[in-house]
């Protein structure tokens, strides 16, 4: 009996000690050395809306550079330096215009079409736009900021009445306004009123309701004496059977449409030119914005070359909110530009063990990822 | 219970039944026309009844309104009718052929095969030679590939047994579902959203071209079914009995599989995968008029059209965001089907 009592007491003591040990272990601050934290990698969170081939990609590139490398090596480089670096210029900055000016003030624009891949359409300058895709509203915001000499995303730009009037008067509607709210897209929330915005209710050309688009285009036409243009992102989906659903309402309301599919950094520039000139911006403003982006790109590129010169290429891992590695062409372009090996960007799910084996030194997630950092770092695995 | 004592009583009874049958079919046809006209007035573009009437009579000068009615709503409603009719009639034929109340086009794996074909087109551009018809074309082709594979798998030296055919369909359907999941796993998020949207089913992109694309295979499928009414009635009483009075079971089975493949292939090609229609509509009419296919097939054609128009109108107009119609048919269909299964199963099938 005594032995039983002693054994019970010993068991209780052992259990209590184990409980204290577990508690102490879990609260010892050791979590940061577990799971992917063991890699000691640099972590970045990037805005998904600024990772496609739009002017804002320069912001993402600069932010990612700063996170991983620190300060730029030189801020005094000029556009002439960039042009002189032919390897850089040919790879990232040489581009062909997608439009040609006609004597009557219209433009012949090369756009994505349903059957032939690309086609040329004659489009006049418009003063009102419906935008299915953030690249169009964002490019317009960049252009109007350039015109008024305001820094993008600055409080001053959001307070500039000319910019507010332009954005509110020009962007009549498009993709779901809730997208901008959910993703904190300030340049839209602070410049375009929800009340006057015609919400098409979807974010994709494939699920667009042609009656809603017709209503929106008709209302936009009624509000302006000028022309109305519908911009949409020309993905492969748009080249299939969804094409007529998007173009039919434009033809019926005598509106215009232009679909672009930029997928590389250098394709950003003809897109800016097209959107800018079709919306009535001067060539001077368009060129100024393009040159500003090219120069900022070169400053990052030059710094990356300086910092990685002769070194071994290291791996980066970029994961989408689905938990799989991203597989987008633009994601690879950005990481290549920043000097990383992109072999882990294969669209597959990478578990803790494989990532610890591959040893990426730079981890990237999106800001709108629903998981907290510990979950992304596989701390629960 | 009616007492039939003489041949005259029997003839009178048959005439009464025939009159009643014709009235029911005529009422369903009228219901379809009325539904079509009413739903022509419902949509996200605001048009008054007067506007619509003047557009239909050719008196309107409103080109935008004409576009909405003539190029958007009319072809969309016609596509709804064609797809509703095809899926309902195919479901009915499957249930009769396999004597299984749960049978539907998806049971033979046809829908899964079509979904996989469409996903291949969306993910890798396979079938690009068909141009803008790449996705529907691949869906249609895979309907027939699936059908061929199922039939080949089910063939034995003793012929093709219904149960084996059904099991082969389930297996092939599961295989294509697995392949579809694999595709969804490997593609990027843009393509994934396209595949998911397509597999939910929608009439959002249905215009005149879609209608032209679907109407020939769907009509061919429905005509084959209509010409096989007598055999379907006989086989419903039992395969052996039907064979004894001269029904070529093997030929009928092949014909019906061909007919449902044509009808379902044509439907899936333009609207994506829409579930439960092939289960709900035939069961409703089986409850109402009994097992006579001479009544059931036309009723499924008209009723399927009405059901699909109603679902699509609710899906596109009742919510702030237009829903894929396949989501709605599943949301409404599943509880309805459970209700039927638990309360009326004996009345329908025993």
């Amino acid at each position: 009996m005594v032995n039983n009592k002693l054994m019970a007491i010993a068991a209780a003591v052992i259990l209590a000690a184990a409980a204290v040990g577990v508690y102490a272990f879990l609260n010892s601050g050791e979590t940061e050395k577990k799971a992917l934290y063991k890699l000691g990698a640099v972590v970045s969170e990037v805005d998904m809306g600024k990772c496609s081939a739009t002017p804002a990609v320069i912001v993402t590139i600069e932010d990612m550079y700063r996170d991983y490398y620190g300060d730029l090596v030189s801020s005094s480089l000029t556009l002439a330096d960039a042009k002189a670096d032919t390897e850089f210029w040919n790879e990232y900055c040489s581009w062909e215009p997608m439009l040609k000016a006609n004597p009557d003030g219209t433009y012949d624009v090369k756009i994505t079409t349903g059957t032939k891949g690309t086609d040329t359409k004659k489009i006049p300058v418009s003063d009102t736009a419906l935008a299915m895709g953030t690249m169009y509203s964002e490019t317009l915001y960049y252009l109007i900021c350039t015109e008024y000499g305001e820094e993008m995303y600055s409080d001053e730009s959001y307070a500039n009445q000319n910019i507010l009037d332009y954005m509110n008067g020009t962007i009549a509607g498009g993709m779901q306004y809730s997208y901008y709210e959910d993703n904190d897209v300030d340049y839209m929330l602070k410049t375009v009123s929800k009340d006057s915005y015609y919400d098409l209710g979807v974010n994709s050309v494939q699920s667009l309701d042609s009656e809603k688009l017709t209503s929106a285009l008709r209302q936009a036409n009624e509000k302006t004496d000028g022309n109305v243009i519908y911009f949409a992102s020309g993905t492969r989906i748009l080249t299939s059977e969804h094409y007529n659903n998007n173009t039919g309402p434009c033809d019926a309301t005598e509106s215009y449409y232009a679909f672009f599919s930029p997928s590389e950094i250098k394709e950003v520039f003809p897109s800016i030119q097209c959107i800018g000139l079709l919306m009535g911006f001067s060539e001077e403003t368009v060129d100024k914005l393009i040159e500003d982006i090219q120069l900022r790109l070169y400053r990052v590129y030059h710094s990356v070359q300086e910092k990685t010169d002769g070194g071994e290429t290291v791996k980066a891992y970029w994961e989408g909110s689905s938990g799989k590695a991203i597989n987008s062409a633009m994601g690879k372009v950005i990481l290549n530009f920043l000097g990383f090996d992109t072999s882990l960007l294969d669209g597959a799910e990478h578990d803790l063990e494989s990532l610890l084996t591959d040893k990426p030194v730079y981890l990237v997630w999106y800001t709108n990822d629903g998981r907290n950092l510990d979950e992304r770092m596989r701390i629960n695995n | 219970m009616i007492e039939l004592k003489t041949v005259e009583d029997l003839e009178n009874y048959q005439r009464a039944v025939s009159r009643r049958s014709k009235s029911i079919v005529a009422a369903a046809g009228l219901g379809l026309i009325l539904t079509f006209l009413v739903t022509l007035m419902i949509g996200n573009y605001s048009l008054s009844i007067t506007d619509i009437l003047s557009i239909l009579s050719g008196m309107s000068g409103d080109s935008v309104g004409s576009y909405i009615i003539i190029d958007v709503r009319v072809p969309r409603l016609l596509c709804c009718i064609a797809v509703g009719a095809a899926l309902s009639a195919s479901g009915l034929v499957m249930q009769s052929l396999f004597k299984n109340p749960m049978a539907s086009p998806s049971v033979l794996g046809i829908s899964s095969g079509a979904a996989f074909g469409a996903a291949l087109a969306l993910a890798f551009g396979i079938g690009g030679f068909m141009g803008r018809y790449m996705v529907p074309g691949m869906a249609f082709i895979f309907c027939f590939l699936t059908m061929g594979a199922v039939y080949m798998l089910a063939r034995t030296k003793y012929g093709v047994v219904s149960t084996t055919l059904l099991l082969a369909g389930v297996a092939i359907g599961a295989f294509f579902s697995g392949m579809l999941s694999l595709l969804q796993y490997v593609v990027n998020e843009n393509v994934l959203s396209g595949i998911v949207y397509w597999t939910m089913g929608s009439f959002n992109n249905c215009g005149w071209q879609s209608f032209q694309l679907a109407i020939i295979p769907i009509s061919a499928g429905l005509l084959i079914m209509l010409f096989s009414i007598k055999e379907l009635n006989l086989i419903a009483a039992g395969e052996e009995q039907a064979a004894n009075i001269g029904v070529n079971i093997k030929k009928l089975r092949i014909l019906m599989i061909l007919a449902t493949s044509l009808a379902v292939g044509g439907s899936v090609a333009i609207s994506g995968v829409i579930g439960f229609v092939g289960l709900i509509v035939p069961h409703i009419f089986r409850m109402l008029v009994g097992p006579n296919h001479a009544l059931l097939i036309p009723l499924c054609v008209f009723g399927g059209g009405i059901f699909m128009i109603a679902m699509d109108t609710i899906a596109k107009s009742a919510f702030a965001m237009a829903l894929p119609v396949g989501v709605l048919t599943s949301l409404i269909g599943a509880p309805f089907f459970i209700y039927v299964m638990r309360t009326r199963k004996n009345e329908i099938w025993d």
Side-chain angles (χ1 to χ4, degrees):
Chain A
M1 185 62 99
V2 175
N3 285 345
N4 285 349
K5 268 188 181 175
L6 276 175
M7 281 170 66
I9 291 166
V13 169
I14 290 166
L15 281 172
V20 169
V22 168
Y23 179 81
F25 177 72
L26 290 175
N27 291 278
S28 64
E30 290 292 311
T31 46
E32 289 185 3
K33 287 181 184 168
K34 286 180 183 171
L36 293 183
Y37 288 112
K38 280 184 178 296
L39 292 169
V42 174
V43 174
S44 277
E45 286 191 355
V46 296
D47 184 339
M48 196 179 200
K50 293 176 183 161
C51 295
S52 51
T54 71
V57 73
I58 184 59
V59 176
T60 301
I61 288 174
E62 286 174 336
D63 287 347
M64 289 170 79
Y65 172 85
R66 201 174 301 115
D67 286 347
Y68 188 78
Y69 295 103
D71 292 333
L72 290 171
V73 172
S74 170
S75 299
S76 59
L77 293 165
T78 63
L79 198 63
D81 296 324
K83 285 178 180 172
D85 188 337
T86 50
E87 196 174 326
F88 162 77
W89 195 259
N90 292 339
E91 178 73 23
Y92 297 108
C93 291
S94 66
W95 55 279
E96 290 292 323
M98 292 194 297
L99 84 179
K100 195 179 80 179
N102 293 315
D104 62 358
T106 62
Y107 292 95
D108 285 336
V109 187
K110 205 184 285 180
I111 63 163
T112 305
T113 66
T115 49
K116 288 178 273 182
T118 56
D119 199 0
T120 302
K121 282 206 76 85
K122 191 173 186 176
I123 303 175
V125 172
S126 303
D127 62 1
T128 306
L130 270 93
M132 184 63 89
T134 53
M135 73 171 280
Y136 303 104
S137 50
E138 190 179 73
T139 303
L140 290 174
Y141 172 70
Y142 268 63
L143 284 161
I144 196 67
C145 284
T146 305
E147 187 157 298
Y148 287 102
E150 297 287 6
E151 191 183 332
M152 290 80 182
Y153 312 114
S154 66
D155 289 340
E156 289 76 18
S157 76
Y158 299 140
N160 186 319
Q161 196 57 44
N162 291 318
I163 292 177
L164 297 181
D165 289 345
Y166 177 81
M167 291 292 283
N168 217 19
T170 304
I171 300 176
M175 58 191 285
Q176 283 179 305
Y177 197 84
S178 60
Y179 172 88
Y180 301 117
E181 293 172 330
D182 296 343
N183 292 282
D184 298 324
V185 183
D186 279 349
Y187 73 85
M188 279 296 288
L189 300 178
K190 291 182 177 174
T191 63
V192 178
S193 161
K194 189 175 185 177
D195 297 333
S196 62
Y197 184 87
Y198 196 100
D199 194 330
L200 289 173
V202 292
N203 293 330
S204 158
V205 290
Q206 65 188 325
S207 45
L208 180 79
D209 182 281
S210 52
E211 291 193 30
K212 272 192 179 170
L213 178 58
T214 310
S215 285
L217 290 167
R218 186 171 189 170
Q219 285 183 21
N221 272 297
E222 282 168 359
K223 280 186 188 169
T224 178
D225 295 328
N227 296 310
V228 177
I229 189 163
Y230 169 60
F231 287 121
S233 292
T235 61
R236 184 160 67 206
I237 287 161
L238 187 51
T239 65
S240 64
E241 73 272 24
H242 307 284
Y243 189 74
N244 287 347
N245 209 26
N246 284 263
T247 57
C250 300
D251 294 333
T253 55
E254 295 180 353
S255 307
Y256 298 89
Y257 55 85
F259 308 140
F260 307 125
S261 315
S263 58
E264 288 181 45
I265 289 175
K266 62 182 173 187
E267 288 175 356
V268 171
F269 307 122
S271 300
I272 292 173
Q273 187 195 42
C274 267
I275 295 165
L277 296 182
L278 288 176
M279 294 306 294
F281 283 95
S282 66
E283 284 193 29
E284 188 189 352
T285 303
V286 168
D287 290 345
K288 193 174 171 189
L289 174 58
I290 290 173
E291 286 172 3
D292 176 59
I293 294 171
Q294 287 174 330
L295 179 58
R296 288 164 68 182
L297 273 176
Y298 184 60
R299 285 178 178 161
V300 175
Y301 177 84
H302 177 263
S303 299
V304 170
Q305 300 305 308
E306 290 287 313
K307 297 216 173 191
T308 60
D309 191 25
E312 192 184 338
T313 309
V314 287
K315 284 180 183 171
Y317 176 69
W318 190 334
E319 188 172 279
S321 43
S322 63
K324 295 194 295 180
I326 65 162
N327 190 22
S328 74
M330 202 55 198
K332 288 177 186 172
V333 169
I334 292 171
L335 285 178
N336 274 326
F337 186 89
L338 292 168
F340 293 103
D341 174 343
T342 58
S343 57
L344 296 178
L345 273 64
D346 53 5
E349 193 173 333
H350 292 248
D351 64 10
L352 176 61
E353 288 187 33
S354 67
L355 284 171
L356 289 176
T357 308
D358 289 321
K359 294 186 177 60
V361 296
Y362 185 38
L363 305 174
V364 187
W365 280 279
Y366 290 119
T367 47
N368 64 353
D369 195 317
R371 302 166 297 167
N372 64 36
L373 187 59
D374 279 354
E375 284 172 322
R376 293 178 226 167
M377 293 294 238
R378 321 287 200 260
I379 206 78
N380 294 327
N381 290 351
Chain B
M1 180 70 83
I2 301 164
E3 269 190 56
L4 303 172
K5 291 179 178 168
T6 63
V7 175
E8 200 175 312
D9 285 345
L10 181 64
E11 283 172 356
N12 285 338
Y13 175 72
Q14 280 177 335
R15 269 197 292 273
V17 169
S18 173
R19 269 199 304 276
R20 183 172 162 261
S21 303
K22 282 176 186 165
S23 311
I24 291 171
V25 173
L30 194 66
L32 179 61
I33 294 167
L34 282 175
T35 310
F36 180 91
L37 292 174
V38 170
T39 48
L40 199 57
M41 297 169 194
I42 303 169
N44 289 313
Y45 187 89
S46 177
L47 283 169
S48 66
I49 295 174
T50 323
D51 292 336
I52 294 171
L53 289 176
S54 62
I55 288 165
L56 291 176
S57 61
M59 312 267 281
S60 171
D62 177 5
S63 62
V64 181
S66 297
Y67 163 74
I68 291 294
I69 295 298
I70 306 299
D71 292 319
V72 177
R73 286 190 195 165
V74 170
R76 180 171 180 147
L77 288 172
L78 290 176
C79 286
C80 285
I81 294 170
V83 170
L87 294 179
S88 306
S90 300
L92 171 73
V93 167
M94 291 271 167
Q95 288 147 24
S96 302
L97 196 64
F98 297 116
K99 289 195 70 67
N100 185 334
M102 299 298 282
S104 71
S106 57
V107 168
L108 275 189
I110 298 174
S111 302
S112 305
F116 178 67
L120 276 180
L122 286 166
F124 306 118
I126 295 175
F129 65 90
M130 289 180 273
R132 117 175 5 164
Y133 299 114
M134 174 176 72
V135 177
M138 284 293 283
F140 193 73
I141 289 168
F142 266 77
C143 265
F144 278 87
L145 287 179
T146 310
M147 181 200 75
V150 168
Y151 196 79
M152 295 300 282
L153 266 180
R155 244 175 37 172
T156 64
K157 61 183 175 182
Y158 307 108
V160 177
V161 184
S162 291
T163 317
T164 322
L165 200 67
L166 210 56
L167 288 173
V170 171
I172 290 283
F175 173 76
F176 278 124
S177 293
M179 293 296 285
L180 183 66
S181 300
L182 179 66
L183 258 188
Q184 289 178 328
Y185 181 77
V186 299
V187 297
N188 68 41
E189 283 164 14
N190 279 338
V191 177
L192 177 64
S193 71
I195 294 175
V196 170
Y197 184 75
W198 198 88
T199 53
M200 285 178 182
S202 170
F203 290 98
N204 218 20
N205 296 298
C206 286
W208 283 115
Q209 286 178 339
S210 311
F211 183 67
Q212 286 164 11
L213 187 75
I215 194 64
I216 294 171
I218 289 176
S219 302
L222 290 177
L223 279 174
I224 296 172
M225 292 176 204
L226 280 169
F227 281 113
S228 309
I229 284 172
K230 195 176 148 195
E231 288 82 357
L232 282 169
N233 277 340
L234 290 171
I235 207 172
E239 285 191 5
E240 272 183 38
Q241 290 94 319
N244 286 340
I245 49 177
V247 176
N248 185 334
I249 302 290
K250 187 181 170 188
K251 186 180 151 199
L252 179 68
R253 207 178 279 135
I254 293 174
L255 258 182
M256 288 304 103
I257 290 172
L258 178 71
T260 49
S261 298
L262 280 166
V264 176
S267 310
V268 175
I270 60 166
S271 65
V273 180
I274 300 175
F276 279 100
V277 182
L279 283 174
I280 298 169
V281 178
H283 280 303
I284 290 175
F285 288 116
R286 212 182 273 275
M287 281 193 289
L288 287 175
V289 301
N292 183 2
H293 287 79
L295 268 179
L296 279 174
I297 289 183
L299 281 176
C300 278
V301 168
F302 295 138
I306 294 172
F307 178 79
M308 194 54 87
I309 287 178
M311 289 296 106
D312 181 53
T313 305
I314 295 169
K316 75 175 181 183
S317 310
F319 309 98
M321 188 174 79
L323 287 180
V325 70
V327 172
L328 199 65
T329 56
S330 298
L331 285 175
I332 292 175
F336 173 82
F337 194 71
I338 291 166
Y339 164 77
V340 170
M341 198 176 69
R342 294 190 64 84
T343 59
R344 311 291 295 270
K345 60 185 175 188
N346 292 339
E347 293 169 42
I348 301 167
W349 287 96
D350 289 348

